[in-house]
Amino acid sequence: MALSKKCPEIREAGEEESGQLRRLFKTLEDCPGFIRVGPAGYLFSVKFEPEIENIYNIEVRPTDTFIVTFPRSGTTWTQEIVWLLLNDLDYAKAASLHIVERFVNIGTSIWGLSSRKTVTHKEIELNKEDRRKFEKVIVPGCELLAAATDPRFIKSHLPLSMLPPNLIETAKVVYVGRDPRDLVVSLYHFSRLISVPLYTGDFKTFWNMYMNDNVVRAPHLSHVKEAWDLRNHPNMLFLFYEELKQDLPGTIKRIANFFKKTYTDEQISGLCKHVHIDNFRNNDSVNVNFLSKVDGLIPGEEPFIRKGKVGGWRDYFDEEMTKECERWMAKKVEETGIQFPTYP
């Protein structure tokens, strides 16, 4: 049996930031506490602490494929592209298996068991297919991964420093980054849509929490920098969401080349059509509509798959916020060296 590797250092989060989380996230009112993980101080509920060491000590296999992102960076979009490229563009199989069944999500248990108590009172009403999908959402990823057969497809919103230390030397990793301004808009809407933890404040407050690294899994740019620093490693493919938007066929070809897969221009064009936002939004095998049957989604909020837009942040930032953001981003880019793509 392999020896357990020591996981990143864990410390208690500050009282002020913990209080703000409890006030503005409805299902965190009774959370016993929050923690900061590793040198960067990634923020999590204390209920996630027992799972941190389990994840850090996962047995990584050479046949594993990891998609790693900060939430709302184009994760599901990338998952669908990668899975289809590695499964000979088997659209029929992709349609028959929901994305949560094709990928094991490492870190779904970040809210501990509180999320189960919130949504399972209607579980008995689910049909067999939706219950199967629901189980993939609430069961800790380590349990699902242990039972998964090769080749395993794995998704994680955790930073690389919280994943197994031999990951990059053992398996293929696709990391997707996104402009912080568009990401925070998308994360704001997602946090209002999902019943756990359910953000109840306004956008400006959310933006300030994000800037101050007081949203779960923050700091975002430290998360990105860990992968950015490894972007030239042969087992790492670092992408930006904006690259997928600006040149989807070319970026899909880059992904295919990374996995040593070859497809014709016609096949690439067909995949582009499949993952076009208008089709993607209506694709039941990548949406999470089944969660509405267990009160997991809040009615009236923007959907899980929104606009797939670059530059949409301009509709949310007033002049003061825009100037503040420009200063903040200039400082962070200088600190991290991350070169975000520019766009009109």
Side-chain angles (χ1 to χ4, degrees), residues 9-75:
E9 177 190 359
I10 298 170
R11 64 183 186 277
E12 188 176 350
E15 289 185 14
E16 183 176 344
E17 56 195 359
S18 297
Q20 187 180 42
L21 287 164
R22 290 191 183 99
R23 286 194 306 273
L24 292 169
F25 287 85
K26 187 173 182 180
T27 56
L28 298 184
E29 293 172 353
D30 299 323
C31 184
F34 298 88
I35 54 174
R36 294 283 184 179
V37 182
Y42 295 109
L43 179 65
F44 294 92
S45 161
V46 72
K47 294 182 180 182
F48 184 54
E49 186 171 354
E51 192 71 357
I52 292 174
E53 185 174 357
N54 293 336
I55 291 172
Y56 196 72
N57 286 281
I58 286 170
E59 179 192 359
V60 182
R61 302 172 186 171
T63 52
D64 289 342
T65 298
F66 278 73
I67 309 294
V68 182
T69 68
F70 196 87
R72 310 310 288 174
S73 299
T75 318

Side-chain angles (χ1 to χ4, degrees), residues 97-116:
L97 289 172
H98 195 275
I99 200 80
V100 300
E101 298 175 285
R102 289 180 273 149
F103 279 80
V104 175
N105 186 352
I106 299 299
T108 50
S109 51
I110 61 166
W111 306 115
L113 295 179
S114 61
S115 58
R116 293 192 183 193

Side-chain angles (χ1 to χ4, degrees), residues 119-294:
V119 298
T120 56
H121 66 284
K122 286 193 175 181
E123 183 182 355
I124 195 169
E125 300 175 14
L126 293 175
N127 61 37
K128 184 177 179 180
E129 180 182 347
D130 284 339
R131 186 175 298 180
R132 190 176 67 238
K133 289 183 282 191
F134 183 64
E135 285 294 320
K136 300 296 184 183
V137 173
I138 64 170
V139 174
C142 290
E143 292 182 29
L144 296 174
L145 196 60
T149 56
D150 293 342
R152 303 184 302 182
F153 291 85
I154 303 157
K155 157 194 168 180
S156 184
H157 289 314
L158 299 177
L160 291 174
S161 59
M162 291 180 65
L163 296 173
N166 65 335
L167 169 59
I168 195 66
E169 300 298 335
T170 308
K172 293 286 190 182
V173 179
V174 178
Y175 188 96
V176 187
R178 189 179 187 182
D179 185 292
R181 296 163 294 188
D182 280 328
L183 180 141
V184 76
V185 169
S186 185
L187 187 61
Y188 162 73
H189 283 293
F190 180 71
S191 299
R192 293 184 63 88
L193 170 67
I194 300 296
S195 63
V196 179
L198 185 53
Y199 178 70
T200 59
D202 59 22
F203 175 71
K204 192 168 187 176
T205 302
F206 192 84
W207 162 247
N208 280 299
M209 291 178 72
Y210 167 87
M211 270 200 311
N212 291 301
D213 301 330
N214 203 31
V215 295
V216 171
R217 303 184 188 86
H220 169 214
L221 294 190
S222 295
H223 194 298
V224 178
K225 177 175 167 51
E226 290 187 17
W228 175 258
D229 289 346
L230 292 169
R231 66 192 183 279
N232 295 320
H233 192 286
N235 281 345
M236 167 68 77
L237 178 62
F238 187 103
L239 302 172
F240 282 109
Y241 180 91
E242 292 76 16
E243 294 176 303
L244 285 158
K245 286 295 297 180
Q246 292 177 344
D247 182 12
L248 184 58
T251 308
I252 287 178
K253 287 178 182 179
R254 280 181 60 199
I255 298 171
N257 289 339
F258 176 68
F259 289 105
K260 296 181 171 52
K261 301 288 286 187
T262 303
Y263 290 100
T264 66
D265 289 343
E266 184 178 2
Q267 288 173 314
I268 296 294
S269 178
L271 180 53
C272 288
K273 182 178 180 181
H274 174 77
V275 297
H276 186 277
I277 186 63
D278 293 337
N279 295 322
F280 207 61
R281 193 183 290 115
N282 296 311
N283 185 343
D284 287 338
S285 70
V286 297
N287 257 295
V288 294
N289 297 331
F290 66 93
L291 290 178
S292 63
K293 300 176 183 178
V294 287

Side-chain angles (χ1 to χ4, degrees), residues 72-100:
R72 310 310 288 174
S73 299
T75 318
T76 308
W77 200 20
T78 307
Q79 286 177 260
E80 184 75 349
I81 292 169
V82 168
W83 191 92
L84 283 164
L85 287 174
L86 293 181
N87 284 273
D88 301 321
L89 301 180
D90 192 340
Y91 296 107
K93 187 173 181 180
S96 69
L97 289 172
H98 195 275
I99 200 80
V100 300

